[in-house]
Each structure stands twice: as structure tokens, then as C-alpha cells.
Amino acid sequence: MHRAIAKIEAAAGQAQPAGVVVGNGVREGKKTARVREAVRGALQARRAVRMRYYTASKDQITERTVDPMRLLIVQAVGYLEAWCRRAEGVRLFRLDRIEELEVLDEPAVPPAHATPTDLTDGVFSARPGQPEAVLVLAPDARWVAEYYPCEELDELDGGRLRVSMRYGDESWMVRLMLSLGGDVEVEQPAELGKAVRNRAADALARARHLPVTWGQ
């Protein structure tokens, strides 16, 4: 059974004096590569950074000023670990979700009590009261398990994958499920499956009342 638990890749090597973990096999586009180089420069210069960050579980972009601590490669995905002044805590930020990044002309000074994240139980730790969905992803939807915080549970026939996924907002989760169409099945919780079916039925009902326009 394959489990999507966080694990520092063996190829990542050892942390450098500036707190950078480097290695091969990172999947990233040109934009993410530029972000990574900017973050590395900030770490080496010990500078704080300001960034716009997309939080997938809440479907929102926030502006944050952080004090970089180290770069990580976790299952071939790059992360910045930093003290987030907005959250007043240590946070992991996926490099491919940093929309904009500016290195500031001020020192990065994480508080003395800011300690590196314990990745023993994975990158995405459960939060009290946070709902969890069990989904079956068709082959064309397996990308969800890579892009969103998921734990792989079972490989199924036909290339399907069963995963568990925690989420913070049901309406966002419903929109995600609808966007996947027939490529996802909600096994649990029943309330989420019902919400998806109801939203789909409402959308179909509205569509029936839309005027039909013919092309020229």
C-alpha cells in the first residue's frame, strides 16, 4: 500500500549552512524555479520575504511576510519552511503555490522558539474538527493526490486510486468535486456526497431554464 506521507528524499542531501536542502528530482516549472532561486538567495542573505500565497484547501490567496528557515524537498516537491508573521507560527509553503515573492531589505529573524517541522507523521497534520473525505479518483483525476494534501489508501483496478483528503471548507470541496465530473467518487462522508449531488442537480435545473442561442 502506497502512502503519501511526507518524507525527506534521501537524494536531498544535508542542510547547508544557510538552511537549504538541495537535491535532484524536483518537479517544477520555470516560475517555481525562479521562486526557489529567490528563496535560496533570501536564505543565504538571511533576509525576510513578502509573498502572495495560494492556500488550496481554502481556495484563497493571502499576503504574508515570513522569515525563511530552510528549503525542503518532500516527495519531489519543493517547500519553504518559514516563520509566518501573519500566523505567528512555523509554516510550510509549497513553492509552486507562491504567486509572487519579494526579498525584503530586512533581516530574517525567526523567534528562538521557532523549531523545524516534525515530518514524522507527514507534511499535512490533521487539525481538530477538520473534516476528512475518502475519494476514489479515476486515472485522469489522480493529479489531485499530487496537488492537494492527500493520503493514498489503496490502488484499485483500472488505474483508480482511493485517497483520504482533509478540507477546511465544504463549499470549496463541492466545487472541486463538481469540476472533476465523473472522474471522482465520494465514498465518505455521506454528507459531502449529498452536497455534491444537490449542487449538480441545482446546476442542471438552472441550465434547463437558460435561453438557447444558436450560432451564426
Side-chain angles (χ1 to χ4, degrees):
M1 180 174 67
H2 302 287
R3 299 178 63 85
I5 58 174
K7 175 172 173 287
I8 303 290
E9 300 286 342
Q14 301 298 318
Q16 303 301 307
V20 180
V21 177
V22 296
N24 300 319
V26 181
R27 299 189 301 269
E28 60 184 24
K30 292 182 179 179
K31 177 182 176 182
T32 305
R34 290 194 296 268
V35 168
R36 178 168 55 82
E37 289 306 309
V39 169
R40 177 179 285 119
L43 279 162
Q44 292 173 343
R46 303 186 187 280
R47 296 292 184 183
V49 303
R50 181 184 296 118
M51 64 182 180
R52 285 168 52 83
Y53 185 74
Y54 173 65
T55 302
S57 62
K58 295 183 179 179
D59 192 27
Q60 64 180 207
I61 294 177
T62 57
E63 293 190 2
R64 302 165 183 260
T65 299
V66 304
D67 299 287
M69 295 166 60
R70 57 176 177 166
L71 271 170
L72 300 172
I73 299 171
V74 183
Q75 294 185 329
V77 177
Y79 290 86
L80 163 64
E81 182 176 52
W83 174 264
C84 178
R85 299 180 186 178
R86 180 174 183 267
E88 296 186 342
V90 176
R91 295 291 186 269
L92 287 173
F93 302 99
R94 278 184 61 144
L95 299 185
D96 59 357
R97 293 182 186 164
I98 297 176
E99 299 290 327
E100 298 176 8
L101 185 142
E102 175 189 2
V103 180
L104 302 177
D105 189 21
E106 64 177 90
V109 187
H113 62 274
T115 56
T117 306
D118 181 1
L119 299 176
T120 303
D121 296 324
V123 173
F124 305 102
S125 301
R127 297 177 183 175
Q130 192 174 40
E132 180 177 4
V134 177
L135 312 171
V136 174
L137 305 173
D140 287 344
R142 290 177 66 111
W143 61 267
V144 170
E146 296 184 1
Y147 193 75
Y148 295 102
C150 292
E151 180 180 0
E152 298 178 14
L153 300 178
D154 296 293
E155 289 279 356
L156 305 176
D157 62 317
R160 298 178 302 150
L161 179 67
R162 178 180 285 116
V163 301
S164 66
M165 177 177 175
R166 296 187 179 275
Y167 56 98
D169 183 80
E170 184 181 89
S171 62
W172 172 85
M173 190 66 167
V174 169
R175 293 197 300 273
L176 175 62
M177 297 298 97
L178 290 175
S179 72
L180 295 173
D183 287 335
V184 63
E185 174 188 350
V186 179
E187 290 191 340
Q188 297 177 25
E191 295 79 7
L192 176 62
K194 182 178 179 180
V196 172
R197 291 191 295 271
N198 289 343
R199 185 75 65 85
D202 290 344
L204 287 174
R206 289 195 300 270
R208 293 192 187 100
H209 293 88
L210 291 176
V212 177
T213 57
W214 301 96
Q216 300 297 323

